Amino acid sequence: MSALRSSLTLSTTPKIGADRAATSARARFSGSVTAVGKAELFVDASTGTGRLAWETVVEGWQADGQTPSKLHVVTDAVSGAHIGQFDEIETVAGTGASLYSGSVTVDTALSGSTYVLVDQARGNARTCDMNNGTSTCANFTDADNKWGTGTTASRQSAAVDAHFGAARTFDYFKNVHARNGVFGNGMGVPSRVHYGNAYANAFWDGAQMTYGDGAGNARPLVALDVAGHEMSHGVTEALVSGGLTYSGESGGLNEATSDIFGTAVEFYAAAAADPGDYQIGEKINFNGNGTPLRYMYQPSLDGASADCWSTSTRNLDVHYSSGVANHFVFNLAEGTGATAYGTSTPCGTAPAVTGIGRAKAEKIWYRALDVNFLSNTSYVNTATPANTARAHTLTAAAYLYGSCSAEYKAVQAAWTSVNVAGSDTACPAANDFTLTATPAAGTVAQGGSLTIAVAAKLINGAAQTVALTATGLPTGATATFSPASITSAAGTATLTVKTASTTPAGTYQVTVTGKGTGATRTTTYALTVYSPGCTATNGTDVTIPDNTTVNSAIALTACARKASATSAVSVSIYHPFPGDLVVDLVAPDGSVYNLANRTGGSIDNIIKTFTVNLSAENGNGTWTLRVRDAATGDTGRIDTWTLSL
């Protein structure tokens, strides 16, 4: 409790506004901000003398990307100084003895002296007990935050698995695919365990997870890959407009997606008692003989799933037509032949596949699901070949790793290995490479020079020697390469372009050519040449008082041309709160080009080069840097500024 040492005489009019306090509070938050509350004015009596202060609540996620935060920041309403802060979110880590994953950590909430199975770190995900009924669900509570016994003798044990599975699924999608949990909005998934009597199923209903206890109530269906599988249905529903229709081949892709990500969650969780594998439901003994539900490396081992696509695939139950995509992903990640996770055999006469690793395979599938899949995407579509899983995953691979990259070719080979052909363009069989110039554009004064990095990258076959030349240079300009030849296997050269004092001002498209022994490739560079008379600096300090507009001028008399589309305005403005400032460039004809409009918050100073399209303006004339201080409390100065047209 705080108390004042004497009677309080205090002005209740703040000198620092609520917006300023909120901006300052936001800057104190370490992590990702989702909301900034309205600052509230109060008297802080913590010092014993009393002072006027703002309290602002900033909500979001801590730096780990998983823990929620409600940070209360207190700011002096007179000086703007930071007084203090505290976070109202308190999370508690408990220990759980699960049925299938061994001893695990579970995040819980403390209510009074009782722990509740609610995961505040992941959107308040709650795990509750259906008590073998189908209606009400009671919270799991515990006195010492030690949950379960590892056996079905404790009803908490299955809850530990479900709670752990929900947490790891949330973390997997957030940390691997940058999706904020299953729902994408930071909300946690509620989990209901002990549903029904001897209910041998688990399901996702669009809002929550429900787990039965299996035959004889002896084998709850709460294993990691089952949890990840079911919740991934929610991700599919959210990412694909209308979801992947749950019938035919699109239904098989729907089920396969859940198998793929359920497996990924199992690997991600890295639970010693349930290490990652490519079997689905191997822990729950659903069949009663110790066998898993499905095998991704050879789907037909379950007696019904398809290893390879055929015209009858569309007629299979979706849990069995999923085998084609499961087999594809296994081959893409691990390759064909004998692997650490099982032996995979290519279909028919398809060649062997070299895997690219599980991480890349998951990224490709998620990208295709997120951006490319449609509700009726299938394995084979002769009418619309672009709407197939093969086409969409190739598009994803090209986006992530490059067209005709090793990953792209692996996707082609893995689909071929499960008898899914495609009309995609074959990658070149000959030795080939790409050529790039970095940066892709630059500006140089007449009589000056600049450098560009030219790089080759091998995309197929063996490396070759590439000789470099440049064409399209303006009059009086020269180009030299160091070295003059590079290797197509990641070789790099420096291109130096020198201009003469007589080189005409303007923008030129320079073509850089790399001629190899087996291929010739080009790249372009936009070269802008300007007259030195089109560049000037004003280094005279101009004070910026509160709530005042000031100007600093540059007069050009030797720039008898239009300004360029990539004109540069370099400013050095010293001010403790750039969020007060509106900075404009005023052209000789009075046209106004805004450079900064009360941005930057409490980060000191504006020291920056702005690129502005001034191609509509004549170069000669008086150009003005206009700075308006739009608030009270801080002053500054224009130190120097440079205009390059």
Side-chain angles (χ1 to χ4, degrees):
M1 178 179 293
S2 297
L4 295 171
R5 290 193 290 266
S6 60
S7 299
L8 177 65
T9 302
L10 182 70
S11 170
T12 58
T13 302
K15 290 186 177 180
I16 301 299
D19 289 346
R20 178 84 62 85
T23 300
S24 178
R26 195 185 199 285
R28 290 277 170 182
F29 192 91
S30 179
S32 59
V33 175
T34 57
V36 179
K38 184 178 180 181
E40 295 187 2
L41 196 63
F42 75 106
V43 175
D44 172 30
S46 61
T47 62
T49 57
R51 54 187 166 182
L52 197 63
W54 292 104
E55 181 179 24
T56 311
V57 180
V58 186
E59 298 185 47
W61 295 90
Q62 293 183 19
D64 63 4
Q66 304 174 47
T67 306
S69 177
K70 287 187 178 180
L71 187 68
H72 294 245
V73 181
V74 180
T75 306
D76 192 301
V78 176
S79 68
H82 176 66
I83 294 176
Q85 63 191 57
F86 68 92
D87 200 320
E88 71 175 77
I89 298 291
E90 295 183 26
T91 58
V92 186
T95 58
S98 70
L99 294 175
Y100 306 121
S101 295
S103 179
V104 297
T105 297
V106 288
D107 286 295
T108 62
L110 181 61
S111 178
S113 60
T114 301
Y115 296 95
V116 186
L117 216 50
V118 173
D119 190 343
Q120 293 175 300
R122 297 170 184 84
N124 292 315
R126 166 180 177 255
T127 301
C128 59
D129 188 353
M130 295 293 291
N131 287 300
N132 297 108
T134 58
S135 55
T136 59
C137 200
N139 281 338
F140 279 98
T141 60
D142 193 83
D144 61 4
N145 213 19
K146 296 179 181 179
W147 305 80
T149 61
T151 70
T152 54
S154 168
R155 299 184 70 81
Q156 290 184 354
S157 300
V160 170
D161 284 276
H163 205 64
F164 180 69
R168 294 292 80 80
T169 302
F170 186 107
D171 291 350
Y172 169 75
F173 283 108
K174 185 172 182 64
N175 298 332
V176 176
H177 301 298
R179 178 173 177 79
N180 197 4
V182 171
F183 296 107
N185 59 3
M187 287 177 53
V189 172
S191 298
R192 307 189 301 173
V193 298
H194 303 305
Y195 175 86
N197 183 32
Y199 185 71
N201 206 347
F203 60 88
W204 167 261
D205 64 10
Q208 62 190 347
M209 273 303 304
T210 300
Y211 302 92
D213 283 341
N217 292 321
R219 206 72 183 175
L221 279 73
V222 290
L224 259 175
D225 55 358
V226 174
H229 171 106
E230 296 298 343
M231 280 179 271
S232 293
H233 281 305
V235 175
T236 297
E237 291 168 7
L239 296 185
V240 180
S241 179
L244 278 166
T245 302
Y246 205 64
S247 63
E249 292 185 4
S250 60
L253 289 168
N254 190 319
E255 274 298 315
T257 296
S258 284
D259 283 348
I260 292 162
F261 291 131
T263 294
V265 167
E266 188 177 73
F267 274 104
Y268 178 85
D274 187 11
D277 53 51
Y278 289 90
Q279 298 176 356
I280 309 300
E282 74 280 0
K283 287 284 187 179
I284 60 175
N285 195 23
F286 185 84
N287 297 322
N289 58 4
T291 60
L293 290 170
R294 288 182 289 282
Y295 306 77
M296 294 179 71
Y297 55 88
Q298 187 181 339
S300 59
L301 287 176
D302 66 11
S305 291
D307 292 335
C308 314
W309 181 86
S310 70
T311 55
S312 62
T313 300
R314 66 177 60 91
N315 299 320
L316 295 175
D317 179 276
V318 295
H319 293 88
Y320 304 139
S321 61
S322 64
V324 178
N326 281 345
H327 197 193
F328 157 76
V329 167
F330 182 88
N331 292 349
L332 179 63
E334 306 296 340
T336 54
T339 75
Y341 302 102
T343 299
S344 173
T345 304
C347 300
T349 59
V353 179
T354 299
I356 59 173
R358 188 171 58 255
K360 289 182 177 180
E362 293 169 17
K363 289 282 190 182
I364 290 170
W365 194 268
Y366 184 87
R367 169 77 188 182
L369 185 77
D370 184 21
V371 177
N372 307 112
F373 276 20
L374 303 176
S375 62
N376 61 343
T377 294
S378 58
Y379 293 120
V380 175
N381 186 333
T382 55
T384 312
N387 186 23
T388 61
R390 177 177 175 129
H392 293 325
T393 50
L394 282 171
T395 299
Y399 175 85
L400 293 170
Y401 305 108
S403 182
C404 285
S405 60
E407 294 82 1
Y408 183 94
K409 293 176 186 177
V411 171
Q412 290 180 311
W415 279 119
T416 300
S417 75
V418 296
N419 200 36
V420 176
S423 58
D424 38 276
T425 302
C427 291
N431 301 334
D432 203 0
F433 63 94
T434 59
L435 197 68
T436 56
T438 306
T443 301
V444 62
Q446 293 166 329
S449 65
L450 49 70
T451 59
I452 306 108
V454 178
K457 181 180 179 182
L458 187 69
I459 60 172
N460 202 73
Q464 55 192 292
T465 299
V466 178
L468 299 171
T469 57
T471 57
L473 293 164
T475 302
T478 61
T480 56
F481 292 90
S482 179
S485 297
I486 58 177
T487 173
S488 64
T492 303
T494 299
L495 166 60
T496 301
V497 175
K498 292 184 178 180
T499 62
S501 60
T502 57
T503 298
T507 298
Y508 304 89
Q509 204 67 14
V510 178
T511 299
V512 179
T513 300
K515 183 175 177 57
T517 54
T520 298
R521 294 289 175 256
T522 62
T523 187
T524 57
Y525 178 79
L527 174 68
T528 298
V529 181
Y530 67 91
S531 167
C534 296
T535 297
T537 299
N538 187 334
T540 302
D541 288 2
V542 179
T543 300
I544 308 171
D546 277 339
N547 293 300
T548 303
T549 299
V550 299
N551 298 302
S552 178
I554 287 175
L556 298 179
T557 59
C559 187
R561 63 169 175 83
K562 289 286 189 181
S564 75
T566 55
S567 298
V569 184
S570 298
V571 302
S572 293
I573 299 173
Y574 290 89
H575 195 284
F577 198 84
D580 286 355
L581 303 181
V582 179
V583 183
D584 297 314
L585 176 69
V586 183
D589 67 358
S591 298
V592 177
Y593 298 85
N594 181 252
L595 305 180
N597 190 358
R598 305 196 68 177
T599 59
S602 59
I603 301 173
D604 291 351
N605 310 324
I606 303 177
I607 301 175
K608 183 177 180 181
T609 296
F610 298 91
T611 300
V612 188
N613 183 355
L614 300 175
S615 58
E617 305 292 340
N618 292 315
N620 282 336
T622 299
W623 296 79
T624 303
L625 184 71
R626 184 174 70 191
V627 180
R628 178 168 65 92
D629 188 309
T632 301
D634 299 297
T635 62
R637 76 179 191 278
I638 303 173
D639 185 72
T640 184
W641 72 286
T642 298
L643 178 66
S644 298
L645 301 181

